[in-house]
Amino acid sequence: MGFREYSIDLAQAGDKNAEQMARQLCMYNSDCSIPPGAAYTNTPRRDWNAPHFEKIMQMQAENLRIYALAYAQWGDPEYLHAATEIARFVKTFLTGPEGAFYTSQDADLIEGKHSADYFARDDAARRN
């Protein structure tokens, strides 16, 4: 159990400090408006405006669970949106044609070249 999940559990038991902490922790990675809506592993900046582009399946699964728990606990549509976008990303980009899951999407599509331009595109542009 991670810290966010532990905080949600404490909040469910009535701990207001844990609720505040859980909501704040969920807020830092809930901006799934950055195409295509996946959870990011890390960022070099405190404000998450420059996330690392690699998408790891384990992070998607953990974040999907956390946002589902947070939505079940508080009913905040932002958490439902985050969970839905992560699920959409997994289905669209981390699921193979046979239905098996990929373990990650690399940050660098061309070896030795950072792919920020690709990840700045919207969903439709990435498919061309």
Side-chain angles (χ1 to χ4, degrees):
M1 174 183 299
F3 194 68
R4 287 184 296 177
E5 186 173 352
Y6 181 65
S7 298
I8 291 170
D9 283 352
L10 290 176
Q12 190 173 27
D15 186 327
K16 294 296 181 189
N17 289 331
E19 178 179 344
Q20 181 181 3
M21 188 178 314
R23 287 177 173 266
Q24 186 174 7
L25 289 168
C26 285
M27 177 187 73
Y28 283 119
N29 204 17
S30 69
D31 182 10
C32 292
S33 63
I34 302 170
Y40 295 91
T41 58
N42 59 63
T43 178
R45 295 177 48 177
R46 298 178 112 190
D47 60 9
W48 282 94
N49 285 330
H52 182 67
F53 295 115
E54 182 178 28
K55 312 296 186 319
I56 300 171
M57 176 58 85
Q58 179 181 353
M59 291 298 298
Q60 307 316 309
E62 288 175 15
N63 279 277
L64 180 57
R65 177 175 166 73
I66 291 299
Y67 289 113
L69 289 171
Y71 178 71
Q73 174 70 22
W74 296 297
D76 186 329
E78 184 177 334
Y79 301 143
L80 177 60
H81 174 72
T84 302
E85 287 299 296
I86 292 167
R88 183 182 66 80
F89 172 80
V90 168
K91 183 178 179 184
T92 305
F93 293 98
L94 291 180
T95 304
E98 305 83 22
F101 294 112
Y102 301 127
T103 58
S104 70
Q105 181 184 52
D106 196 356
D108 301 321
L109 300 174
I110 301 169
E111 189 173 334
K113 182 177 179 186
H114 191 63
S115 300
D117 292 338
Y118 171 80
F119 288 103
R121 297 177 188 169
D122 65 16
D123 187 51
R126 288 186 192 192
R127 295 174 186 275
N128 291 330

